[in-house]
Amino acid sequence: FFFDPKMQGYSYDQPNHAIYIRNINEKVKRDELIKSLWAVFQQFGEILDICARPKKQTLRGQAWVVFRDIQSATAALRQMQGYMFHNKQLTISYSRQKSDAIAKLDGTYVERKKPREKKKRKAAAQDESAAKRRRGPQPAGRGGQNPPNNVLFVEQLPENNDDTQQMLTVLFQNFQGFREVRMPPSNAGVAFAEFDVEPNATNALTNLQGFRITPENELKVSYAKR
């Protein structure tokens, strides 16, 4: 992942294409962690690589996200500092090291010997079949606001994107009481997020209102019509 193990003058306050993220919930499995990081950081620009190795004792609770340009990394560092991610507040700084992905782009990459990796066990279990979607509540009429309740109506989503439901789940599961995200097949660009009780739904609404799920899509969140 990293080009220079000796760091060659990089420091935490020196702008870098890669950001170093600490205080990550150690209970999150690697595959889920990488998907989650991708979902919340892709709004800032093109991601070239994400490194997370929660199984290695010395690297638990840490990750690196590499952007194509430093401006994207800087925006991510500033806007996501202290963000609640899987129930823990992120601490973000610039990486001290230059990533292999950037070194390969600018022609400074030097191949080095890699330690023999242990064979990874293939996952035996497949993802459980998605539960049958219940008929979701109807969205609010334009111009009107519905009373607070435990179901949120989410608009301005990317259309024709198979990853949208997964990205929303990653975002909303950071809030207490989250149950599920439902996407009506007939309504492109909208979804419903259900919580156990109204206060938890309100907390998610407040924190994710205007969140950019992609550079072009800013979430509009309201209470669903009951």
Side-chain angles (χ1 to χ4, degrees):
F1 175 77
F2 289 114
F3 164 65
D4 184 4
K6 295 184 180 179
M7 303 180 185
Q8 288 193 350
Y10 278 86
S11 64
Y12 284 128
D13 57 357
Q14 180 175 344
N16 194 326
H17 293 79
I19 57 174
Y20 171 47
I21 306 170
R22 291 172 289 166
N23 199 39
I24 296 174
N25 193 325
E26 296 182 9
K27 295 181 180 180
V28 182
K29 294 182 179 180
R30 182 178 183 275
D31 289 346
E32 181 183 354
L33 175 58
I34 290 178
K35 290 178 182 178
S36 298
L37 290 170
W38 206 286
V40 298
F41 281 100
Q42 68 173 349
Q43 60 177 309
F44 299 104
E46 184 180 352
I47 295 174
L48 298 180
D49 194 12
I50 293 179
C51 178
R53 298 174 184 171
K55 288 186 178 181
K56 190 171 182 179
Q57 183 68 36
T58 58
L59 295 178
R60 287 181 181 175
Q62 306 169 65
W64 290 261
V65 178
V66 184
F67 292 90
R68 179 173 286 274
D69 59 79
I70 291 179
Q71 291 83 356
S72 297
T74 299
L77 184 153
R78 292 175 178 173
Q79 296 184 43
M80 298 298 285
Q81 192 72 259
Y83 178 74
M84 289 300 296
F85 183 74
H86 290 286
N87 299 316
K88 294 195 72 173
Q89 204 169 39
L90 298 182
T91 299
I92 307 175
S93 59
Y94 291 112
S95 173
R96 286 186 177 184
Q97 301 164 303
K98 186 176 187 178
S99 74
D100 286 349
I102 296 301
K104 289 176 180 178
L105 286 178
D106 64 20
T108 58
Y109 177 72
V110 176
E111 190 171 358
R112 58 188 181 278
K113 293 182 179 180
K114 298 180 180 179
R116 178 177 291 181
E117 296 182 354
K118 295 181 179 179
K119 293 183 179 179
K120 299 179 180 179
R121 297 181 180 178
K122 295 182 179 179
Q126 298 291 334
D127 292 336
E128 295 182 0
S129 300
K132 293 183 180 179
R133 294 177 181 172
R134 302 190 302 272
R135 180 178 177 83
Q138 296 301 310
R142 296 187 181 275
Q145 290 187 346
N146 292 313
N149 63 83
N150 68 315
V151 180
L152 302 178
F153 179 54
V154 188
E155 301 175 84
Q156 301 177 180
L157 300 172
E159 296 187 14
N160 302 320
N161 188 335
D162 295 335
D163 296 328
T164 298
Q165 185 169 5
Q166 181 180 354
M167 288 191 292
L168 286 177
T169 299
V170 167
L171 289 175
F172 281 103
Q173 71 183 5
N174 289 304
F175 299 93
Q176 184 176 356
F178 171 73
R179 286 181 174 172
E180 66 173 342
V181 167
R182 301 191 296 275
M183 299 190 70
S186 59
N187 291 329
V190 302
F192 297 95
E194 182 177 344
F195 287 80
D196 54 355
V197 292
E198 177 270 317
N200 289 333
T202 298
N203 182 38
L205 184 153
T206 302
N207 283 276
L208 292 179
Q209 188 70 265
F211 185 92
R212 288 189 177 276
I213 194 168
T214 72
E216 296 79 26
N217 297 87
E218 184 176 291
L219 297 185
K220 179 181 178 183
V221 187
S222 59
Y223 296 106
K225 184 177 180 180
R226 302 296 289 177

